């Protein structure tokens, strides 16, 4: 195991616990909520607080690393490492006090994702992966489902924030797929959808127009659980 990967992995696990506890504690407060790119694209003060918490700790312990986060954008580094952070994946869920939200943190080295952690504090679930070391849920190894028939499968998906104005809104694809599968789910968190695939709870997941902070950690976790990722551009 690469020592530098492990150092970052251990810090992430420590930090997501601290941030997750604060998110749960503040969940029932009257939070400040703002709109971003669309009136259904939300950011809460806890998104900002969590992002700043990670930024400060990364700058303290790994000052030469680059960072890409949903709330703060990109900052350069010199170490070859890049952190990819979504402080709350599923902000709308969080704002509505629905427990399907997570902190998603990935670390890339020279462009390759080597660490992935998705922590769902309200669910009490932490999904973790180190490249080449398998995927785990709360320390227990997980693998993808062995089901191969669509009619027996539960598939997850999501819809973009601009679905009312952009024809690439997944509605046509959703209508086609739902007629062929055993069940469909829309949880509102891409990171957690990927982790459900890794844990064998869902047989698959697809979505259009998601960002690196939505999927980098979850993709590594799926791969380490034996899953296959297909990208369509």
């Amino acid at each position: 195991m690469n020592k530098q990967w492990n150092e970052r992995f251990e810090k992430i696990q420590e930090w997501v616990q601290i941030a997750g506890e604060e998110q749960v504690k503040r969940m029932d407060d009257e939070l400040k909520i703002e709109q971003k790119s669309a009136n259904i694209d939300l950011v809460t003060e806890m998104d900002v607080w969590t992002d700043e918490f990670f930024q400060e700790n990364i700058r303290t312990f790994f000052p030469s690393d680059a960072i890409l986060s949903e709330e703060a954008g990109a900052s350069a580094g010199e170490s070859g490492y890049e952190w990819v952070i979504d402080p709350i994946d599923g902000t709308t869920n969080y704002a509505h006090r629905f427990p399907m939200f997570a902190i998603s943190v990935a670390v890339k080295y020279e462009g390759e994702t080597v660490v992935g952690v998705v922590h769902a504090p309200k669910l009490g679930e932490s999904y973790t992966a180190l490249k080449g070391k398998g995927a785990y849920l709360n320390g227990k190894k997980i693998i993808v489902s062995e089901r191969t028939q669509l009619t027996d499968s539960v598939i997850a998906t999501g819809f973009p924030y601009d679905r009312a104005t952009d024809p690439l809104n997944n509605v046509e694809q959703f209508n086609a797929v739902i007629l062929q599968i055993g069940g469909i789910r829309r949880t509102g968190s891409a990171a957690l959808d990927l982790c459900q695939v890794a844990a064998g709870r869902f047989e698959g997941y697809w979505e259009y127009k998601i960002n690196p902070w939505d999927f980098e950690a979850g993709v590594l976790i799926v791969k380490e659980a034996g899953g296959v990722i297909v990208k369509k551009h």
Side-chain angles (χ1 to χ4, degrees):
M1 182 185 299
N2 185 300
K3 181 181 178 181
Q4 292 184 331
W5 298 1
N6 199 49
E7 288 174 349
R8 288 162 175 79
F9 181 54
E10 289 179 352
K11 285 297 183 184
I12 294 170
Q13 292 182 93
E14 175 187 336
W15 296 340
V16 296
Q17 292 294 332
I18 296 170
E21 288 177 8
E22 188 68 17
Q23 288 178 0
V24 171
K25 184 171 70 174
R26 297 285 307 280
M27 194 173 179
D28 292 327
D29 292 353
E30 291 297 325
L31 295 171
K32 181 180 178 182
I33 302 173
E34 297 179 352
Q35 298 171 349
K36 295 196 291 186
S37 62
N39 61 3
I40 56 173
D41 185 7
L42 306 180
V43 59
T44 73
E45 61 187 273
M46 284 308 299
D47 291 83
V48 176
W49 180 90
T50 305
D51 188 83
E52 291 175 347
F53 171 80
F54 273 92
Q55 297 270 350
E56 180 179 342
N57 278 287
I58 294 166
R59 289 287 166 247
T60 298
F61 289 92
F62 308 103
S64 297
D65 289 6
I67 306 173
L68 173 65
S69 79
E70 180 176 14
E71 307 309 332
S75 60
E78 302 173 350
S79 65
Y81 285 93
E82 180 186 34
W83 297 65
V84 184
I85 304 167
D86 192 340
I88 302 181
D89 186 57
T91 296
T92 299
N93 290 347
Y94 183 77
H96 285 260
R97 300 179 176 87
F98 181 58
M100 293 296 290
F101 63 90
I103 304 168
S104 178
V105 185
V107 177
K108 303 176 77 171
Y109 181 66
E110 301 293 352
E112 182 179 26
T113 306
V114 296
V115 177
V117 175
V118 175
H119 177 62
K122 192 67 173 177
L123 301 178
E125 295 187 343
S126 284
Y127 300 84
T128 61
L130 277 166
K131 181 175 170 56
K133 298 296 180 180
Y136 296 83
L137 167 55
N138 293 345
K140 182 179 179 180
K141 191 174 179 64
I142 53 176
I143 58 172
V144 296
S145 171
E146 295 182 353
R147 293 186 180 92
T148 59
Q149 299 300 313
L150 280 175
T151 52
D152 298 328
S153 298
V154 174
I155 308 294
T157 192
F159 300 89
Y161 290 117
D162 60 355
R163 57 184 175 267
T165 57
D166 189 335
L168 186 61
N169 57 13
N170 201 27
V171 173
E172 181 180 350
Q173 293 80 5
F174 176 90
N175 289 336
V177 171
I178 197 171
L179 300 177
Q180 304 177 54
I181 60 176
I184 199 159
R185 301 291 181 267
R186 193 269 196 262
T187 71
S189 168
L192 282 177
D193 283 340
L194 286 163
C195 288
Q196 305 318 298
V197 175
R201 296 168 175 170
F202 296 163
E203 277 66 51
Y205 158 76
W206 92 93
E207 190 165 354
Y208 293 93
K209 297 193 290 188
I210 56 176
N211 295 295
W213 47 79
D214 298 314
F215 64 76
E216 287 288 1
V219 162
L220 178 65
I221 293 166
V222 169
K223 288 180 176 178
E224 289 296 319
V228 176
I229 302 296
V230 177
K231 294 183 180 180
K232 180 180 179 182
H233 297 283

